Amino acid sequence: WFALRAKFPIKEGKEIIISYGTGVESSVELLVNHGFVPSENKADAYMLKRGGDDSIENLKDWQTTLEEDLDLLESTESENMKDVLRLRTKLKRSYVN
């Protein structure tokens, strides 16, 4: 669990926002560092070009198939898990394109 501590008084009803990093983190980085995947993330377009030290080089290196992920996506009820599976299917489809 995380706790937030205000550095100054906050009026009741005032919206409080939290920033996760610099705003250019990919969905994979957000998942690893903060435990969630946004439903849309502009930074993913760059990541989908597949590059860098930690990239998975081909589909056979994944532990699940695209079809298995699509089946899981249909059967899961957790919204966060659906976001994770949408990201995984997006990544896997990028290998084909």
Side-chain angles (χ1 to χ4, degrees):
W1 296 98
F2 293 95
L4 300 176
R5 184 177 301 206
K7 294 182 178 182
F8 51 86
I10 301 171
K11 289 184 180 180
E12 184 176 337
K14 174 115 173 112
E15 180 181 17
I16 300 172
I17 59 172
I18 301 172
S19 174
Y20 292 95
T22 62
V24 294
E25 284 78 13
S26 71
S27 292
V28 171
E29 291 170 306
L30 290 170
L31 177 61
V32 169
N33 296 321
H34 303 288
F36 74 93
V37 175
S39 56
E40 290 294 324
N41 186 345
K42 293 178 183 178
D44 289 344
Y46 300 106
M47 185 190 63
L48 290 174
K49 292 181 181 176
R50 294 190 315 268
D53 295 336
D54 296 326
S55 65
I56 296 176
E57 295 184 15
N58 59 59
L59 277 173
K60 68 179 174 69
D61 292 336
W62 288 85
Q63 293 182 358
T64 58
T65 66
L66 175 59
E67 293 74 21
E68 289 170 325
D69 286 349
L70 290 170
D71 288 343
L72 285 170
L73 182 58
E74 291 296 320
S75 64
T76 191
E77 293 182 17
S78 163
E79 285 304 314
N80 194 50
M81 189 61 192
K82 285 182 182 182
D83 287 339
V84 170
L85 289 165
R86 285 186 197 106
L87 173 64
R88 280 196 340 207
T89 58
K90 186 188 301 183
L91 289 170
K92 290 176 182 181
R93 285 182 174 137
S94 76
Y95 288 91
V96 179
N97 296 332

